[in-house]
Every structure is written in structure tokens, then in C-alpha cells.
Amino acid sequence: MRTLYPEIEPYQTHEFAREMLSDGRQHRIYVEECGNPEGIPVVFLHGGPGSGCRPQHRSYFNPDKYRIVLFDQRGCGRSTPTGELENNTTDYLVADMEFIRQTLDISQWLLFGGSWGATLALCYARDYPQHVLSMILRGTFLGRSQDVDWVYAEGGASRLFPERWQQLVADLPKSQQQRPLQAYFNKLKDEDEAVQLAAAQTLNAWEGTIVMLRDHDFEPDRSQAAGPLAHSLIQLHYAMNHCFIDDRPILGSTAAIQHIPTIVIHGRYDLVCPIQQSWELKQAWPQLDLRIVPLAGHAAGEPGLIDALVSATDELAEVLS
């Protein structure tokens, strides 16, 4: 089994200013570079939407062979303003990626993304295929209404964790319990900070329940502060808008990217993004290399997925160098 490479620190960080907002503030995007400045450029696309990058994300790549670029998407992590929804759509994130590529003087790069990060990689590749060397995707998320409903509406993952779903919707009116997204978004925007934080914590507990294959029930750490408000706010903003890609669905846009060598890795028991999504992508894109990890869920930190992901980056390092 492959494991992560040892932790490393960035050799350079950036804060890139983007367009002004209506209230006079400005989106500023945190970017870091790690590994070998002369190595194969790879950009890490975090999930969520809304989560941000962590030190572990640098370690899926051989630092001697890769120039590793990580960035926190708009409103996420170290990018500011935190949790900002204005000018925060998929098209803006794709434009940010292209700005980063140009500013860092990268002609082509490898795209590495899981879950929402896979969605973003596919959208960028569709718009800028000439700048994509290859892709490694994990736990494909197609961003359709049925994919959002699997997580956030009754009848999807709720059937596997009915008691946890009941905890998510128990305090909502009956009329909102089958499809609680709007109700929770309203709570996250409530004037009362306690209501906001309680909603974020409850959402975080539901997502934590289904994100990883484990042999015991998930128990949130109630001693910690409430769940990350900005993360939840951005995540629901995208979910309620079907990731802003209804007009250009991924499965209808594969013709432009089928020449790009792409590996898709998916845990057999992924309960956030069921494997059917990667299977449908494979049917639309036969050249795609789909690798199913038999005993794995959704989380990139599961041993089986780490093994598959690091094996893929090592494999491509040999091919691309």
C-alpha cells in the first residue's frame, strides 16, 4: 500500500487580488507552491465546495518530481472575504484557475481533484483543454439535481442512515423535512449567530456521517466549536444552484476533453458521490481509465484511496517526465 509523502512546506505563497465586490471589498485568492519549482506542474482542487486546502493535500505528490500548486477557492480557507457568495460561481472559479496558471507562467498542468474538485477540474478542462496535461479525479460529482438530492433530500443517503437523517431534519417543519436545503440555507443566513452556528454544526455532523467508510458510527466531537459556517454556506450556495452548470452539463461536454489522459478513482462504497456517477462518465468517455477501490468510501484520506491516488501520481510522474 502506498502512503502519503512526508509533509512539506510551501516554498512560495501568493495572495492574488481579483475583482471588487459591490460593498468595496475584493476577492483575494490564497495560492501556495510546494515541491520542485522545475517539476511537473499540478494543481490541487479541493472539495466542498467550501472546504479549503490542508497540509495533507501537498503529500499526494512526489515533491522531487512535481511543482505542486494549491489554492483556496473563493471564500474558502485563507482566501477572503471568508464565506463570500457574491461573484462566487463555477465560472468565476474556472477563471481564477486560468488566472493562476497564467500568473505562475505555467503552459500546461495536471489537474488533481476529488468530489467537487473533480467537478471543477472537468469544467476547467472543458473550457481550457489546451492547457491540461492530464487529470486524476476522485469520487466524481456531476453536479446534477439528482446528485445533490442524494446527499440533501430524503430517499438517498438518508435510507442508509435514517436515524442520522432524522437528527438533521427533526427541528424543521414537516413541509421542509423531505428537502431541507433551503431551510438550512436560511438558518445559515439568520441574524442570530447562535442559529447560524448550530445549523452549520448539524450539517457538518450529517456530512461526517456519510463521508467515510468506517466500522463504527460517526460521533461528532461536541466539545469543538460549531461546524465551519463559511464552508456550509458556500456548500449550500452551490448545491442549491446545481453547481451553476445546468446550462452546460458535464456528461454533454466530454467531446472537448476526450483526448486528455484521465484517471478516475472511486471508492466502491462512496456514499457522498455514488460510483454510478463515475460509471456514467465512463460511458460518455470510453477512453477514461476508471479504477474502483473495492473497500473504500468517499474520503481521500482513507488508506485504499491514498494508495490509489499516490500510485496514480507516481505513474503519471514517470510518463510526463
Side-chain angles (χ1 to χ4, degrees), residues 56-89:
Q56 175 182 321
H57 295 159
R58 306 165 187 156
S59 299
Y60 288 93
F61 315 95
N62 184 334
D64 295 328
K65 296 188 176 182
Y66 281 102
R67 178 185 179 188
I68 309 158
V69 179
L70 301 94
F71 76 102
D72 290 336
Q73 296 160 28
R74 294 186 173 215
C76 305
R78 293 150 291 186
S79 292
T80 56
T82 301
E84 180 58 55
L85 303 184
E86 183 182 342
N87 291 359
N88 196 337
T89 67

Side-chain angles (χ1 to χ4, degrees), residues 121-137:
L122 289 162
C123 291
Y124 176 88
R126 174 192 64 193
D127 291 351
Y128 297 99
Q130 70 275 25
H131 297 309
V132 182
L133 278 170
S134 186
M135 292 192 286
I136 298 174
L137 310 178

